[in-house]
Amino acid sequence: MEMYITEARQFRLRYNRDLLALMNQFGVQTEAEICSGFIIKWANSRGRKKSDYEHHQYTMKAVKLLKATWKKRFEEEFYDSNKAVDVTKRNLIEAKAAAWYYVTYHPDERNRDMSVEGGFFSFPWCIYEYLCEIAKRS
């Protein structure tokens, strides 16, 4: 896991900035709202030409794309010649997944970044499949 910590910190910072940009773009106030799709109140609905439903659809499409992009960034290092994840590298994949989780949730890491986006928790859940595999065995 240690070999992936520095990269995970950098990726988390970039992911958080991307997520905050989406929140600002679509007028969503919290990470929980944008990640779950349950928007309590749109921040900037004035002057919008689309209905709330259409705006919600565009927002969720953008969030889905963001998560897919970050999952791809995670997996790129482990692709085989067919652009599929090489399962023989399972130990490295899980070490990297653990690093992504660690930099998001460990108290020492949480204290490193006191910015607004430093409080976001969704970063490692772009790769939830790998986290769940680790959890099943633990």
Side-chain angles (χ1 to χ4, degrees):
M1 176 179 80
E2 292 80 17
M3 63 193 257
Y4 290 108
I5 295 289
T6 302
E7 177 190 66
R9 285 180 185 138
Q10 294 167 353
F11 278 5
R12 179 175 177 260
L13 181 65
R14 290 169 49 196
Y15 168 86
N16 286 350
R17 287 183 181 156
D18 289 350
L19 184 65
L20 185 62
L22 280 183
M23 289 168 62
N24 290 332
Q25 177 183 351
F26 291 103
V28 178
Q29 296 176 348
T30 68
E31 177 192 27
E33 289 176 301
I34 200 161
C35 289
S36 70
F38 293 100
I39 314 301
I40 296 168
K41 182 179 177 200
W42 298 99
N44 55 357
S45 59
R46 278 191 227 175
R48 194 175 355 120
K49 295 182 179 165
K50 305 208 180 327
S51 69
D52 280 351
Y53 174 79
E54 290 173 314
H55 191 64
H56 182 266
Q57 294 298 93
Y58 286 121
T59 303
M60 292 301 94
K61 203 177 284 186
V63 170
K64 188 175 181 179
L65 180 62
L66 173 76
K67 290 178 181 182
T69 299
W70 282 97
K71 182 178 179 185
K72 182 180 177 196
R73 285 187 184 157
F74 176 89
E75 292 175 338
E76 283 174 334
E77 166 181 352
F78 307 111
Y79 285 161
D80 61 16
S81 58
N82 297 322
K83 292 248 181 191
V85 175
D86 184 354
V87 293
T88 63
K89 297 180 180 176
R90 178 62 67 194
N91 289 340
L92 293 173
I93 292 169
E94 290 181 357
K96 189 172 182 177
W100 280 35
Y101 187 89
Y102 175 86
V103 301
T104 304
Y105 288 99
H106 193 276
D108 293 342
E109 295 293 325
R110 305 273 323 141
N111 292 331
R112 290 174 64 91
D113 187 359
M114 301 306 282
S115 65
V116 171
E117 63 267 15
F120 291 165
F121 289 105
S122 61
F123 171 62
W125 298 107
C126 295
I127 52 154
Y128 69 90
E129 299 95 334
Y130 302 112
L131 296 176
C132 290
E133 283 299 316
I134 294 169
K136 282 180 194 175
R137 284 196 319 275
S138 296

